Amino acid sequence: MASPRQALPQILVIGSLNMDTIIDVQRLPQKGESIVTRLPDTGKSVPGGKGANQAVAAARLCGGKCVAKFVGQFGNDGHAQTLERSLADNGVDLSACGRTEKPSGQGLVFLVEDGTVSSIVVGGSNMAWPSDVVPALLPHIQTSSAVLLQREIPEHGTEHVNAAVAKAAAVAGVPVFQDIGGEDRPISDELLRSLALVSPNLPELQRLTAMPVGSEAEVIAAARFLKSKGAERVLVTRGGDGALLLEPDGRIWKQPPCEVPGGQVLDETGAGDSFRAAFAVAFVEGRSSEDSLRFAAAAGAVAVSQLGAFPSLPTRLQAGGLACPTATPWSGDSGGEDDGTCIGSSTCAGGGGEGSSNVAGFPLKFGSRLNSMADRLDLWGGANDVLGWVSRQGTVKGLGVIDFNYPQHFVASGLTAEAALKALGAAGLEAGAVQMRFSEEFRAGAFTNPDDALRRRAVALTIEGGAMAQALGAKELVVWSAWDGYDYSAQADYVVAWNKTVLAFRAVCDAHPDLKVSVEYKPTDENTRFYIVGSVGAAKLLVKEVGRSNMGVTIDVGHCLMAGENPAQSVAMLGDRLFGIHLNDGHSRLGAEDGLMFGSVHSVMAMELMYWLQKTGYQGHLYMDTFPQNEDPVRECEFNIRRVKALWARAER
């Protein structure tokens, strides 16, 4: 039978332990400068190290409600004995620690009069981890409720620890909290994808993202970028300005600072470690995000009121008894809902939320035509290029994803996937899909070109587009060719063109079996009077003959109207092979594609379309394929989002 102690939630801290020497200074020295200490008797040595600090803080903050276990590497000197005794005296389980033949790690802590600290860490025994450490740690990881990591021990390479531990914990379903404090080095996307929470302070956030963090909005943009790289949550500590928590669903909590006991900040050395340990304790106890943040802020405030790392780490009673304001939702980009019937008025509220349109219970995300952001530049003060358009779409309330065109948005401008991801993160958006756009080089056809070399080039270009989609984290590659068709009777061999189309789509699907590939059909336009795939029936037949599970169809409402189709019926016919939908409206004139606001002409048809999207269980995003050449494209898109939500709600009734 497990003992009561074993039955409690366990916080496993894997990290560093140092003997810290605290040096009081008036200010930090400049390059090449020597200065004397502020106090003649400074230089006191106290136990520390981010790993040890967090383990002791967790043990004290657990207060018998959980267990703190520490895994570190003790050195071969007298400091090691002091460190071991200090950890054990605070109730930390040291049964999984190792020992090395290197001296203990040391921290040189420079304490300025206002309590601000800067540190230099000498790695010592903290750098001497065995290369096969994870198998020995696996039982401890699997029995833990959370794993806490920092960056004062090896992270990657032949002596990696953090990356291997995070991966093993993720496989075991144990949440990993990564403190960014420690070495100044990039963090890999692979490690980020294993984390339940990544927690930088402001300088660390700026270094990791290469983005400004001077304002609250900039901090949130940088946090969103970090989250877009794979981390489930981002918790940013901001010193005297409190903290911000970015949740998995995109919600943001703003935690105000707590009043420091005694009213004076004496030493910030253990504040961040206390904050992160307290948040982890509250997390494993199942507390809400608001309560976890409040508890963490209280712990940090207690820590700065005392000198030294270990001496300042708070107890559960101290943190729980400190009056501290409660976290509140960040409202920097919030907006209300309406029925989508107003536009062009300052009283019309947007639908929005961060990085996702899944607010107020709405199940799908919204995207919009990126090129529309090049319209009405008199209303936009930013850059008129792809990154500028992404930034402008980031101001659309309720928008969640962006569909990029390939190669149009990348090759000509030299835009890379990394730069696009950074822009998306800054805008609080994600990549929804990549849409193929073939140049006039393929005027005689892309997949149906009579020149085999050009046809192969079109297929290769489409496969490149799929690779870009996957690099961006998009779920779909949409293929629409302006050229695959004919203008006159007796001009094309329909069977040959059809077969070439089938073979081309098979090649693309096989190149990217984990990516959805869809054909966007259209009956006619000024470039091609008759398309080879010009109706929902032809598109459905194409899907059948391609014969790949990742092959489907994207419907454009305007294209349906041009084909004489009822979009709702087309959705019903396709069922689960409907991968994408482009929403717009038009006057149904022969050969015309108006690209008007959704539901502005065919409101009943639009509501029925929402009904059939619900009925068929559509899982893609809703893409606004409109042409606001005379309207403000941002407010036009916000109107479309509100309109869809209103029609969706009516269809549910």
Side-chain angles (χ1 to χ4, degrees):
M1 176 181 293
S3 69
R5 181 177 175 85
Q6 289 173 322
L8 295 173
Q10 175 176 279
I11 296 175
L12 179 63
V13 183
I14 300 176
S16 62
L17 66 166
N18 301 319
M19 186 58 75
D20 289 345
T21 301
I22 301 176
I23 303 171
D24 291 84
V25 293
Q26 194 72 35
R27 59 175 175 81
L28 295 177
Q30 302 293 318
K31 183 177 180 180
E33 181 185 24
S34 297
I35 61 173
V36 297
T37 61
R38 183 168 60 89
L39 301 174
D41 57 349
T42 189
K44 179 181 179 182
S45 293
V46 296
K50 294 190 71 63
N53 288 347
Q54 291 181 19
V56 171
R60 292 181 181 178
L61 291 163
C62 279
K65 302 292 185 181
C66 53
V67 177
K69 178 180 286 189
F70 176 67
V71 181
Q73 300 297 311
F74 286 106
N76 63 352
D77 53 13
H79 287 329
Q81 298 174 17
T82 303
L83 290 167
E84 185 173 4
R85 186 168 55 251
S86 296
L87 285 159
D89 288 347
N90 279 281
V92 178
D93 184 342
L94 303 175
S95 59
C97 286
R99 299 182 183 279
T100 77
E101 292 304 313
K102 291 184 177 294
S104 299
Q106 297 184 58
L108 302 176
V109 182
F110 300 96
L111 175 62
V112 183
E113 191 172 6
D114 65 359
T116 303
V117 296
S118 299
S119 304
I120 298 175
V121 176
V122 181
S125 61
N126 295 311
M127 298 293 107
W129 287 73
S131 58
D132 57 347
V133 66
V134 171
L137 293 183
L138 197 55
H140 304 285
I141 294 171
Q142 293 172 334
T143 55
S144 296
S145 301
V147 174
L148 274 59
L149 301 174
Q150 315 80 39
R151 308 188 83 195
E152 291 181 345
I153 61 175
E155 190 165 288
H156 299 289
T158 57
E159 295 182 344
H160 68 288
V161 179
N162 280 359
V165 167
K167 184 176 181 179
V171 171
V174 178
V176 180
F177 294 3
Q178 175 72 67
D179 180 359
I180 297 300
E183 283 194 62
D184 177 10
R185 60 190 176 212
I187 188 168
S188 71
D189 291 355
E190 180 183 8
L191 178 54
L192 282 170
R193 288 192 291 269
S194 299
L195 302 180
L197 180 143
V198 60
S199 183
N201 61 23
L202 289 181
E204 292 159 357
L205 179 64
Q206 185 173 33
R207 288 201 306 265
L208 280 184
T209 63
M211 296 171 64
V213 293
S215 68
E216 190 171 272
E218 288 175 338
V219 171
I220 289 172
R224 285 170 170 167
F225 172 68
L226 202 55
K227 183 175 181 295
S228 74
K229 305 288 280 184
E232 192 174 349
R233 298 171 184 82
V234 181
L235 175 58
V236 183
T237 54
R238 304 192 297 156
D241 291 326
L244 289 168
L245 174 65
L246 178 55
E247 295 265 48
D249 61 3
R251 288 180 301 159
I252 299 171
W253 294 99
K254 182 178 178 181
Q255 174 62 51
C258 296
E259 186 174 344
V260 176
Q264 183 179 2
V265 176
L266 296 180
D267 183 358
E268 295 179 348
T269 304
D273 295 325
S274 298
F275 184 100
R276 289 164 176 82
F279 188 90
V281 168
F283 181 90
V284 302
E285 291 178 358
R287 301 196 205 180
S288 66
S289 296
E290 307 98 289
D291 195 28
S292 298
L293 284 168
R294 190 210 63 78
F295 188 59
V302 172
V304 301
S305 68
Q306 302 178 59
L307 288 173
F310 273 26
S312 71
L313 300 174
T315 65
R316 187 181 185 92
L317 183 61
Q318 287 175 315
L322 185 64
C324 195
T326 302
T328 57
W330 187 73
S331 58
D333 58 354
S334 66
E337 289 291 326
D338 62 29
D339 65 0
T341 57
C342 65
I343 188 170
S345 167
S346 61
T347 61
C348 291
E354 183 276 335
S356 169
S357 307
N358 191 11
V359 295
F362 195 80
L364 302 176
K365 294 182 178 181
F366 291 95
S368 185
R369 182 170 159 266
L370 186 58
N371 287 1
S372 70
M373 295 296 110
D375 292 323
R376 291 301 306 271
L377 293 175
D378 57 308
L379 301 174
W380 170 242
N384 183 27
D385 56 22
V386 177
L387 295 182
W389 303 339
V390 171
S391 179
R392 192 178 187 187
Q393 283 209 331
T395 68
V396 177
K397 296 176 181 178
L399 204 68
V401 298
I402 285 180
D403 288 11
F404 288 95
N405 293 348
Y406 191 86
Q408 180 190 57
H409 290 154
F410 294 93
V411 176
S413 63
L415 180 64
T416 63
E418 183 179 8
L421 282 169
K422 186 172 182 178
L424 287 169
L429 300 169
E430 302 170 356
V434 166
Q435 306 194 34
M436 292 304 301
R437 293 294 182 265
F438 298 99
S439 68
E440 291 208 14
E441 175 186 10
F442 300 98
R443 177 168 284 279
F447 289 176
T448 63
N449 200 295
D451 184 328
D452 284 342
L454 279 174
R455 188 180 72 83
R456 287 193 298 270
R457 174 167 163 71
V459 173
L461 192 65
T462 307
I463 292 173
E464 286 179 16
M468 179 60 72
Q470 292 185 310
L472 294 171
K475 298 178 180 179
E476 183 186 3
L477 176 68
V478 183
V479 181
W480 173 71
S481 170
W483 319 112
D484 279 315
Y486 56 96
D487 296 332
Y488 297 98
S489 298
Q491 187 180 36
D493 187 325
Y494 315 122
V495 175
V496 170
W498 179 265
N499 290 338
K500 286 181 177 180
T501 303
V502 171
L503 292 174
F505 272 103
R506 281 182 187 168
V508 175
C509 288
D510 290 344
H512 300 292
D514 298 326
L515 181 69
K516 289 184 175 181
V517 178
S518 68
V519 59
E520 179 184 351
Y521 68 89
K522 186 176 185 180
T524 185
D525 73 9
E526 68 275 12
N527 295 308
T528 303
R529 270 54 178 192
F530 293 92
Y531 281 95
I532 294 299
V533 186
S535 66
V536 67
K540 187 172 184 179
L541 178 62
L542 178 66
V543 169
K544 180 180 179 181
E545 294 198 11
V546 170
R548 300 294 188 268
S549 61
N550 59 328
M551 178 68 191
V553 179
T554 288
I555 281 181
D556 183 294
V557 170
H559 298 181
C560 286
L561 296 175
M562 294 168 63
E565 296 174 3
N566 177 356
Q569 182 182 4
S570 300
V571 168
M573 288 177 64
L574 291 171
D576 62 2
R577 289 307 178 102
L578 177 66
F579 287 177
I581 187 157
H582 295 179
L583 301 179
N584 46 50
D585 210 336
H587 292 294
S588 305
R589 293 170 294 178
L590 183 62
E593 184 181 6
D594 296 312
L596 301 179
M597 292 177 289
F598 181 64
S600 59
V601 179
H602 299 88
S603 57
V604 175
M605 177 208 73
M607 184 176 68
E608 187 191 18
L609 174 58
M610 296 297 102
Y611 170 79
W612 277 99
L613 288 174
Q614 296 169 18
K615 188 175 178 67
T616 57
Y618 175 67
Q619 297 296 311
H621 61 274
L622 304 175
Y623 177 82
M624 304 304 171
D625 194 1
T626 56
F627 296 82
Q629 295 175 344
N630 298 313
E631 298 81 23
D632 180 340
V634 170
R635 296 174 71 179
E636 188 259 7
C637 184
E638 291 175 350
F639 169 84
N640 283 324
I641 291 172
R642 296 194 303 271
R643 184 63 167 159
V644 167
K645 290 183 177 180
L647 291 169
W648 186 278
R650 292 175 191 172
E652 286 181 321
R653 296 196 291 267

